[in-house]
Amino acid sequence: MPPHTEATFLLLLLLLLCFFSATAEGGSFARLGVNYGTLGNDLPSAARSVDLLHSLGAGAVKIYDANPAILRALAGTRLRVSIMVPNEVIPSLGVNACAADAWVATNLVPFYPAVRVRYLLVGNEILSYTSLANSTWPFLVPAMVNIHRALSARSIRDVKVGTTLAMDALTISFPPSAGAFRSDIAEPVMRPLLRFLHNTRSYYFVDAYPYFAWASNPSSIRLDYALFTSNASFNYFDPGSKLTYTNLFDQMLDAVAAAMCRLGSGDVRIAVAETGWPNAGDLDQIGANVHNAAIYNRNLARRLAVRPAVGTPARPGAVTPVFVFSLYNENQKPGPGTERHWGLLYPNGSKVYEVDLSGRRPLDSYPPLPSPQNNEPYKGKIWCVFGGDRKAAVGAALAYACGQGNGTCDAIRPGGPCYKPNTLVAHASYAFNSYWQQFRKAGGTCFFDGLAVQTETDPSYGSCKYASLTI
């Protein structure tokens, strides 16, 4: 064959060998896990939450710190448990083996083995924050090494050590076969991290959200492809690997696999630390609704329950631990509206929609879902106004909003067109909206600790005019 054809063939062969090398040993992992966050002021007790996890058919749970009440509630259950080590302690654990040993002694040993801890995840998406590049990144792998040594010193051999990484650890994710890590982390962080995961037979934990990929580009990515409901005519053929994809989730995982292959670590197994779909969101957040969330998580559960495991096109047969985000809608999570609406359950414990995480329930046995109302981009005007019930907290929020930007609150000063009615609530609505209109593109949100909401109704009155965001 011609030299260039031969080179292409050899490259493809090496890529496929790298991909498939990780599929031989998948281990076993029963049922979907669930991320159990606690950023809400109205959530059930830990004991009640564990009962609810069982009722959903969950096989595992991931918690964001070593919460003693939650760990006590998990003791004696069959749930496999993942505990996160907070970002802020990584530097101390990385430079001081005694500190890592003390962390294990305090946060794991009192509960193990009554609690079936299987993973300690050191840090949460720390490589997504360039502000941590100097203070934390260099200590990530040393902290993991020290935690692993502390476990080994106590003959704890069934707890794997890892860390969670978002998809933005990759600089290229499409096509999947071109997956590559960012240049700022590939050599200094990823190579030693992957070496550690290989040597300890642990997993690369990725936070993989097809929702975000689709929502950022709905004109190019089909919604049904993101929800596991696409038909064969819309499959994607990767020209680099010659593999065919039926859904976005598999594409994302195989992009990570390709990136690892490029660093010589194609045998490291992949786990999904977070995935899911929001059940609601802000007016301008496309596709965040109960219908799509139910379809996504039901199809995910059915897919992962299949035995032998389906795997992905690049890793057929691989068994992948997966944790759905999240157990509850958490009302104190900052950010856009979707951040507070990922839950399988409302804070009162009732289901947002029916789902069986064991994957045993036939899809056609579920009750009808409400029709989606926002699967197309929002078109119209949006304002941000006061919508909370904690009037005692309005003063601080108002002061914050007025302290940002230039002229943010000029209209509500004495003599201004929006000064009257001279009430905290009225002034807060103007200030929230003025702030949001100025800073939305820079990451500002219409939240204000739960005091603000978006509206399609123009709050302007008389000579008081509210600026609006037109989508």
Side-chain angles (χ1 to χ4, degrees):
M1 63 179 69
H4 69 277
T5 305
E6 182 178 0
T8 301
F9 173 77
L10 289 174
L11 179 62
L12 176 60
L13 180 61
L14 287 172
L15 185 62
L16 291 175
L17 287 174
C18 180
F19 275 155
F20 294 132
S21 65
T23 65
E25 63 170 299
S28 62
F29 193 85
R31 305 182 185 178
L32 278 171
V34 177
N35 285 275
Y36 174 9
T38 57
L39 293 179
N41 60 7
D42 52 358
L43 302 180
S45 68
R48 172 64 175 149
S49 296
V50 171
D51 289 341
L52 291 168
L53 284 165
H54 286 300
S55 73
L56 290 167
V61 61
K62 175 167 155 279
I63 57 178
Y64 287 84
D65 58 19
N67 184 305
I70 295 176
L71 289 171
R72 283 192 292 269
L74 288 166
T77 73
R78 298 294 297 168
L79 291 168
R80 300 182 184 190
V81 178
S82 171
I83 303 173
M84 300 204 76
V85 180
N87 292 355
E88 58 269 20
V89 304
I90 290 174
S92 63
L93 302 186
V95 299
N96 189 336
C98 291
D101 186 77
W103 194 95
V104 170
T106 301
N107 297 287
L108 175 67
V109 171
F111 308 100
Y112 175 90
V115 178
R116 299 184 70 203
V117 179
R118 291 296 176 265
Y119 309 110
L120 291 181
L121 300 180
V122 181
N124 186 22
E125 297 185 347
I126 70 163
L127 299 185
S128 297
Y129 303 100
T130 55
S131 61
L132 300 178
N134 296 322
S135 64
T136 307
W137 292 4
F139 305 104
L140 174 61
V141 175
M144 295 170 68
V145 169
N146 284 339
I147 290 287
H148 178 72
R149 287 174 177 167
L151 294 173
S152 298
R154 291 174 168 75
S155 299
I156 300 174
R157 309 199 186 281
D158 56 354
V159 177
K160 299 294 185 184
V161 178
T163 187
T164 69
L165 301 174
M167 286 297 296
D168 63 8
L170 276 62
T171 186
I172 300 172
S173 60
F174 183 82
S177 61
F181 292 114
R182 300 193 326 253
S183 59
D184 62 327
I185 61 173
E187 291 298 330
V189 184
M190 295 311 304
R191 190 177 290 280
L193 171 61
L194 293 171
R195 187 182 305 118
F196 170 84
L197 298 177
H198 166 81
N199 291 341
T200 61
R201 300 168 69 84
S202 189
Y203 292 83
Y204 180 111
F205 280 85
V206 60
D207 292 348
Y209 286 99
Y211 169 75
F212 289 125
W214 168 77
S216 66
N217 198 9
S219 61
S220 298
I221 302 174
R222 290 181 58 88
L223 177 59
D224 53 5
Y225 189 72
L227 294 174
F228 302 99
T229 57
S230 179
N231 61 50
S233 62
F234 296 108
N235 289 349
Y236 171 70
F237 177 76
D238 185 329
S241 64
K242 311 302 181 188
L243 297 173
T244 298
Y245 288 85
T246 63
N247 64 82
L248 188 53
F249 182 78
D250 285 354
Q251 267 193 225
M252 297 172 80
L253 298 194
D254 281 355
V256 172
M260 293 195 296
C261 282
R262 279 183 164 70
L263 291 183
S265 296
D267 61 340
V268 173
R269 295 173 293 176
I270 294 175
V272 179
E274 291 182 10
T275 191
W277 198 282
N279 57 63
D282 292 333
L283 292 173
D284 55 337
Q285 291 191 286
I286 186 173
N289 56 63
V290 168
H291 182 278
N292 294 345
I295 295 298
Y296 180 83
N297 284 324
R298 289 172 184 176
N299 283 326
L300 179 69
R302 288 287 290 179
R303 178 181 178 79
L304 295 176
V306 173
R307 291 294 180 270
V310 176
T312 67
R315 293 184 167 190
V319 177
T320 304
V322 176
F323 293 84
V324 170
F325 189 86
S326 60
L327 182 58
Y328 298 113
N329 283 349
E330 298 170 60
N331 68 351
Q332 292 183 315
K333 290 197 69 180
T338 49
E339 286 299 302
R340 294 172 290 284
H341 293 93
W342 290 89
L344 302 172
L345 304 174
Y346 293 110
N348 64 8
S350 64
K351 294 180 180 179
V352 178
Y353 49 84
E354 291 285 334
V355 64
D356 171 23
L357 297 182
S358 74
R360 297 192 184 102
R361 183 170 179 175
L363 295 177
D364 60 7
S365 71
Y366 285 105
L369 290 166
S371 298
Q373 302 298 316
N374 61 347
N375 283 348
E376 298 295 330
Y378 178 85
K379 298 185 186 303
K381 295 182 177 181
I382 304 176
W383 294 267
C384 176
V385 298
F386 174 80
D389 56 5
R390 296 168 22 247
K391 294 184 179 180
V394 174
L398 175 61
Y400 172 81
C402 290
Q404 310 301 311
N406 295 317
T408 303
C409 292
D410 283 356
I412 56 174
R413 302 193 190 285
C418 301
Y419 177 68
K420 293 184 177 180
N422 182 19
T423 67
L424 273 178
V425 168
H427 286 185
S429 281
Y430 183 88
F432 292 171
N433 185 71
S434 182
Y435 166 90
W436 185 59
Q437 304 295 346
Q438 286 188 67
F439 295 103
R440 177 180 180 274
K441 290 184 178 179
T445 61
C446 180
F447 180 56
F448 290 95
D449 197 24
L451 295 174
V453 296
Q454 289 185 357
T455 180
E456 299 173 275
T457 303
D458 187 352
S460 301
Y461 56 93
S463 61
C464 178
K465 304 299 181 185
Y466 280 57
S468 65
L469 170 71
T470 301
I471 303 296

